[in-house]
Amino acid sequence: MKLKKAICTGLSAAILIAALAGCSSESPAASSSQAAPASSASAASQAAPESKPDADSNFNPEGLPILNEPETFKVVAYQVSTKVAAKDKECYLKTAEETNVYFDWVEIPQANWQEKVNIMFASSDLPDMFIGNIDVATQYEQLAVLDDYINSYAPNVLQLFEDRPEYRNILTAPDGKIHFLPGGDEAYMNQIDQQLWINRNWLEAVGADVPTTTDEFYNVLKLFKEKDPNGNGQADEIPLTFNGIWDWATGLGNLFGSFNTLETTQHIYVRDGKAVFAPAEAGYYEALKYFNKLYSEGLIDPEAFTQSLDQYNSRGKGKDIFGALMAYRAHYVLGAEHKENYVGVAPLKGPDGTQLIRANYINQMTGVQITSACKQPEVLVRWYDYINSSTEMALRWGRGLENVNWKRVTIDGKEMFGINLPVPADTNPPIERADTSFSGQTPALWMLHRDEVRSVIDPDNPAPDLKRDLIEASMPFALYGMPTGLDTVDNTQKKALLLTDIDTYLKKFVADSIMNGIDDTKWEAHLKTLSDLKTEEYTQLNQEFLDR
């Protein structure tokens, strides 16, 4: 199946360095390598792809293997598993054997990713390839120009451009050239990441229904606090927990939607074609007052603003202490034993009946970046095209082992692929996926909303997908953040500088307002601070990008 049927995730990476081609010096991160069995990289300078290789060249423009004799390239990758190294993953080993393209892997942990990558670009100490999201807006000039290689050697990428014309625009840099390729999840489920889940067992215990309004939600949280819904005779219930405000799936941001505004990582959402800066809106003030009411009555987890993501993902394991939480899926935070214990809550109606939630554009802009240091970009373009050539290949790179994380199924006489399969109670699907694949940081762009792949398919024991149900209930109320695409270098740098100060201020302001209260005087001071932080200029820069 071609890429148009399924191309194998929103963040991050691996760097490939042509070890024998001398494309890059040693990276500042600790490295783990898988050398080619007989490595000999070409030292030839980058040739125009129109100049077809000679008959005795090591490079094959079509078919397999890509290289007649194995060669090794240096790759810097975003580390998704601390248990299984990239060099040992089956998808890589199988692909390397089939293509004769081997990698000297340098894996960088999430906490150090941005810093290490920035150092590499600043020092021009680059590998052959990065796998993972990087700041291409300011760094694309140090990446290889890929247009001609794509035209000559990447039929599956060209098919993507034919099927999805927006991708050529998304991938085009300000110089009019393509310097990077998409990887990661373009999944239906990723349209909304930050969602509210509530403990159905606790609702039954206190005699309440799933709340539909902010008032009903407040009343349910009160019952959770006062009625010992976990039945252990202890006041250990935490009615509502989350991790941060605009954090990926765990933040509180989408609950601002009940007050006619939406918080995002950029603090910008789009309404009627206009970039809106949420923290200056009246609804933001009303939301903070509501959250302060919850906090002051002990209904919000006091650790919500200080806990790390690891702590958030571990505090509820093996326990029954949370009534409601923000998460991508509740059991990703609480463990597989809670998979059926939590039900999704559609956007709550606010005091004036408003229901809003933020949706994401699921197009992927970056994920694979071949650098200007690479002597043979045509090889890596062909390698990328190959791992995006079929649904099966994409699932191996993005999901892992067949019959563990995905399997072949037949639905209504049609052969398909099933994912999100039922798992044992002691299994954590995201960890299992990361240990056997490149998970959300896969260099293959796969599209789960395509017909070939279905979520939670078990023909012998069909079950609903609570996440899909919740998205379908939420999308009628969705507004979007900023679209996918590349801004000018100047605007990107200006926005980044402004956002750094805006972020620092808002993190303190929002936490203080929720914990200690907010009134008209504090709100007016807040608006003055936003003006000092040049949020109007920041919003205008976003509007210019939106207009383009």
Side-chain angles (χ1 to χ4, degrees), residues 3-46:
L3 179 61
K4 65 181 180 181
K5 297 203 171 194
I7 304 175
C8 223
T9 163
L11 239 218
S12 306
I15 297 178
L16 303 164
I17 303 175
L20 299 178
C23 291
S24 170
S25 59
E26 183 65 23
S27 158
S31 151
S32 62
S33 304
Q34 171 67 41
S39 166
S40 62
S42 169
S45 61
Q46 177 176 317

Side-chain angles (χ1 to χ4, degrees), residues 60-99:
N60 294 316
E62 296 179 340
L64 292 177
I66 294 174
L67 296 172
N68 294 320
E69 296 297 329
E71 297 185 20
T72 299
F73 295 82
K74 196 166 186 178
V75 177
V76 173
Y78 186 99
Q79 184 183 54
V80 298
S81 171
T82 56
K83 181 179 177 183
V84 181
K87 69 183 180 64
D88 296 323
K89 292 183 178 179
E90 183 180 281
C91 57
Y92 161 67
L93 293 171
K94 186 174 187 298
T95 302
E97 182 180 354
E98 292 169 340
T99 63

Side-chain angles (χ1 to χ4, degrees), residues 26 29 64 104 125 151 241 280-281 292 331 351 411 414 519 535:
E26 183 65 23
L64 292 177
D104 176 16
D125 180 15
N151 291 334
T241 188
E281 291 197 292
N292 172 249
H331 67 280
I411 303 295
K414 181 179 180 180
D519 56 23
T535 57

Side-chain angles (χ1 to χ4, degrees), residues 26 60 105 134 143 164-165 211 224 257 279 288 306 325 341 346 395 433 469 494 546:
E26 183 65 23
N60 294 316
W105 290 98
I134 67 173
L143 302 176
R164 303 283 300 282
F224 285 172
L288 292 177
T306 58
L325 74 157
N341 296 343
L395 288 172
R433 180 182 170 194
D469 291 347
K494 288 178 180 177
L546 186 62

Side-chain angles (χ1 to χ4, degrees), residues 173-377:
D175 64 357
K177 303 294 184 180
I178 294 175
H179 296 260
F180 39 87
L181 295 163
D185 281 355
E186 196 199 50
Y188 178 86
M189 302 301 189
N190 286 350
Q191 290 183 94
I192 303 176
D193 40 47
Q194 205 180 73
Q195 292 186 283
L196 177 63
W197 302 83
I198 197 162
N199 192 321
R200 68 169 87 216
N201 296 331
W202 286 21
L203 288 173
E204 183 177 349
V206 301
D209 296 323
V210 175
T212 60
T213 70
T214 51
D215 285 342
E216 290 177 4
F217 186 51
Y218 165 76
N219 290 331
V220 165
L221 296 181
K222 288 275 287 183
L223 292 173
F224 285 172
K225 179 177 176 60
E226 298 168 355
K227 299 295 183 179
D228 189 27
N230 64 13
N232 65 359
Q234 302 177 34
D236 58 351
E237 288 84 0
I238 298 173
L240 171 64
T241 188
F242 50 89
N243 185 58
I245 301 299
W246 43 83
D247 296 67
W248 174 62
T250 59
L252 189 65
N254 270 340
L255 293 192
F256 282 73
S258 301
F259 301 90
N260 203 29
T261 189
L262 290 169
E263 183 57 286
T264 73
T265 54
Q266 296 169 301
H267 312 296
I268 297 280
Y269 69 97
V270 179
R271 192 196 292 262
D272 299 327
K274 299 296 183 183
V276 180
F277 185 73
E281 291 197 292
Y284 204 91
Y285 179 24
E286 296 303 317
L288 292 177
K289 289 194 291 186
Y290 174 78
F291 298 139
N292 172 249
K293 176 182 178 181
L294 300 186
Y295 189 90
S296 65
E297 296 186 28
L299 307 182
I300 287 180
D301 184 357
E303 297 184 32
F305 300 102
T306 58
Q307 63 191 342
S308 68
L309 183 59
D310 286 342
Q311 290 171 327
Y312 185 65
N313 287 334
S314 64
R315 288 175 62 206
K317 294 289 195 303
K319 301 175 184 177
D320 185 20
I321 59 173
F322 294 128
L325 74 157
M326 299 299 293
Y328 187 83
R329 295 178 184 266
H331 67 280
Y332 284 7
V333 173
L334 303 174
E337 68 272 17
H338 287 291
K339 188 171 185 178
E340 306 300 327
N341 296 343
Y342 285 76
V343 62
V345 181
L348 297 168
K349 294 179 182 177
D352 63 357
T354 297
Q355 289 175 274
L356 287 181
I357 195 165
R358 177 180 53 83
N360 304 315
Y361 290 98
I362 55 177
N363 312 101
Q364 297 294 312
M365 187 172 73
T366 66
V368 174
Q369 293 80 211
I370 301 169
T371 76
S372 57
C374 181
K375 299 292 195 284
Q376 298 173 286

